[in-house]
Amino acid sequence: MDDPVHSIDFTDLLDFIENKMRMSHIYQPVMLIELLESSGTATTTDIAKAILSYDQSQIEYYEKITTQMPGRVLRSHGVVTKEKKLYELAGGEDLTDDQRSQLVAACRTRLEQYQEARGNKPWAHRKKSSGYVPGTLRYKILKRARFRCELCGISAEEKALEVDHIIPRNKGGSDDISNLQALCYSCNATKRDRDDTDFRAVRASYDDREAGCLFCEIPADRIIHENELAYAIRDGYPVTDLHTLVIPKRHVSSYFDLGQAEINACHALLREAKAAIECSDAAVTGFNVGINNGEDAGQTIFHCHIHLIPRRKGDVEEPRGGVRHIILGKGDYR
């Protein structure tokens, strides 16, 4: 249903923009700019294109496409050259304006022929289903995923999330909520419709705990820093004052078995704990960061944990060599 015709004067519009417009995203000002620069009228497609021009994540996606596909092929044929991020048409400086126009026309003809033959098939991987996912269902999926991509873990604030059919519709997948998951547009485009991996199972694995494991059953009052996938505590047998452990919540014995999201979470807590230690003790002038990975490397609790050991000037007679001292006599390598 179309809205009734009404008008708003310059003063009211300026007041709305400067004082009343509440923004949760860039959409409102971008839409108004498009309308203002188009003499007050613009189609939904025009506005969508304007919004897209501000989406850096889409630009980064197509930068990768450019490098991996047309850039690589055209370079292999000697049609273009590349230096860092700059592409140059081989011999382009020798072309006349008329020749350029003819070449552009030839490209447009090939485009039209391709589109007539293929239609929207080249973009099918960007649309997992041919139907509409209702807003209420979409919200449930995103809420269940805690507004993060269920593959890479990126937040919806950083990259747009899409509702993906785990088993694609063209492979018999249904619209049931159990067959839907939240993926950022990059992971969704990479997955395409050939993969039916249920990434919710990957995310669910983050809840794995083992009965009797000290770090799986750590008391809440010992936790000093925490995020979604990891936490930090003070070491029960500290090497130095404020010795801290950063521990993934999932029960996993080896650092090398951590997923990238868990590594990111642990590293974020290492930085947070380091800053807190430095703030609370000005005498701290350095840190040792270490992991005992495996029994022969000295691991005694087989739940991965990272040691953050504050160091202070003079805490040992000769600090040179640092972690090399784990094997007697190897610290001094002069």
Side-chain angles (χ1 to χ4, degrees):
M1 181 178 178
D2 294 336
D3 294 327
V5 177
H6 64 276
S7 62
I8 183 171
D9 63 24
F10 169 79
T11 302
D12 289 340
L13 185 53
L14 184 62
D15 178 60
F16 170 78
I17 294 170
E18 293 182 339
N19 304 308
K20 297 178 182 177
M21 185 164 60
R22 298 291 178 261
M23 294 174 56
S24 60
H25 214 298
I26 66 166
Y27 303 141
Q28 291 182 75
V30 173
M31 181 172 178
L32 288 173
I33 290 170
E34 181 64 21
L35 287 166
L36 289 165
E37 293 183 343
S38 303
S39 301
T41 304
T43 66
T44 303
T45 301
D46 293 333
I47 295 165
K49 288 179 179 179
I51 292 172
L52 183 62
S53 70
Y54 284 85
D55 189 342
Q56 183 61 36
S57 64
Q58 292 277 15
I59 294 172
E60 290 170 357
Y61 173 77
Y62 281 109
E63 283 179 340
K64 291 179 181 178
I65 292 293
T66 299
T67 300
Q68 296 169 359
M69 298 178 70
R72 178 176 57 82
V73 175
L74 292 175
R75 289 170 68 192
S76 70
H77 286 280
V79 176
V80 302
T81 60
K82 181 174 183 279
E83 183 175 351
K84 295 182 179 179
K85 286 193 172 185
L86 183 66
Y87 284 93
E88 184 174 351
L89 183 65
E93 69 279 2
D94 299 325
L95 296 172
T96 66
D97 290 343
D98 182 61
Q99 289 172 330
R100 290 175 189 275
S101 297
Q102 289 184 53
L103 292 168
V104 168
C107 285
R108 293 192 188 283
T109 297
R110 292 301 304 273
L111 272 173
E112 291 169 4
Q113 292 170 345
Y114 183 87
Q115 290 177 316
E116 285 178 7
R118 299 290 300 277
N120 287 324
K121 288 183 180 179
W123 315 106
H125 68 285
R126 305 302 300 274
K127 287 186 177 181
K128 289 296 176 295
S129 67
S130 58
Y132 173 69
V133 178
T136 52
L137 181 56
R138 172 183 167 81
Y139 178 77
K140 287 180 181 179
I141 300 301
L142 298 182
K143 183 179 179 181
R144 185 182 65 186
R146 299 182 184 179
F147 292 91
R148 289 181 177 272
C149 174
E150 294 184 89
L151 175 54
C152 71
I154 196 167
S155 167
E157 295 179 355
E158 298 181 57
K159 188 174 287 189
L161 298 185
E162 300 173 348
V163 174
D164 166 66
H165 284 72
I166 298 167
I167 301 175
R169 276 184 169 174
N170 62 5
K171 296 186 182 298
S174 73
D175 290 336
D176 187 80
I177 192 170
S178 65
N179 190 46
L180 301 175
Q181 62 188 355
L183 297 182
C184 71
Y185 86 88
S186 296
C187 289
N188 201 12
T190 302
K191 174 179 180 277
R192 308 189 68 167
D193 62 2
R194 296 191 296 264
D195 188 356
D196 60 0
T197 300
D198 185 347
F199 291 114
R200 292 170 303 151
V202 177
R203 298 292 286 177
S205 73
Y206 294 144
D207 295 327
D208 289 349
R209 305 290 185 269
E210 183 169 295
C213 172
L214 175 64
F215 291 155
C216 285
E217 300 176 350
I218 204 76
D221 59 4
R222 283 196 62 187
I223 296 175
I224 55 175
H225 306 287
E226 184 178 16
N227 58 31
E228 187 176 354
L229 300 179
Y231 67 90
I233 61 172
R234 296 287 184 234
D235 192 287
Y237 301 92
V239 173
T240 67
D241 188 34
L242 302 180
H243 178 174
T244 299
L245 299 179
V246 172
I247 305 166
K249 293 180 179 179
R250 179 169 68 98
H251 184 77
V252 55
S253 62
S254 171
Y255 174 83
F256 299 104
D257 289 333
L258 294 177
Q260 188 58 50
E262 291 170 306
I263 292 172
N264 293 343
C266 289
H267 288 183
L269 287 189
L270 282 171
R271 290 190 291 269
E272 184 178 341
K274 172 182 178 292
I277 290 169
E278 290 173 328
C279 185
S280 65
D281 188 348
V284 173
T285 53
F287 291 88
N288 291 114
V289 181
I291 304 168
N292 299 325
N293 200 93
E295 185 175 359
D296 290 336
Q299 187 174 6
T300 55
I301 299 175
F302 291 90
H303 182 133
C304 176
H305 51 286
I306 306 170
H307 294 263
L308 179 66
I309 304 174
R311 301 298 301 273
R312 299 158 180 88
K313 191 173 184 63
D315 59 6
V316 296
E317 183 177 344
E318 177 52 78
R320 179 183 173 88
V323 297
R324 296 173 65 91
H325 288 288
I326 58 174
I327 296 181
L328 189 63
K330 295 296 184 178
D332 188 355
Y333 52 88
R334 289 173 290 187

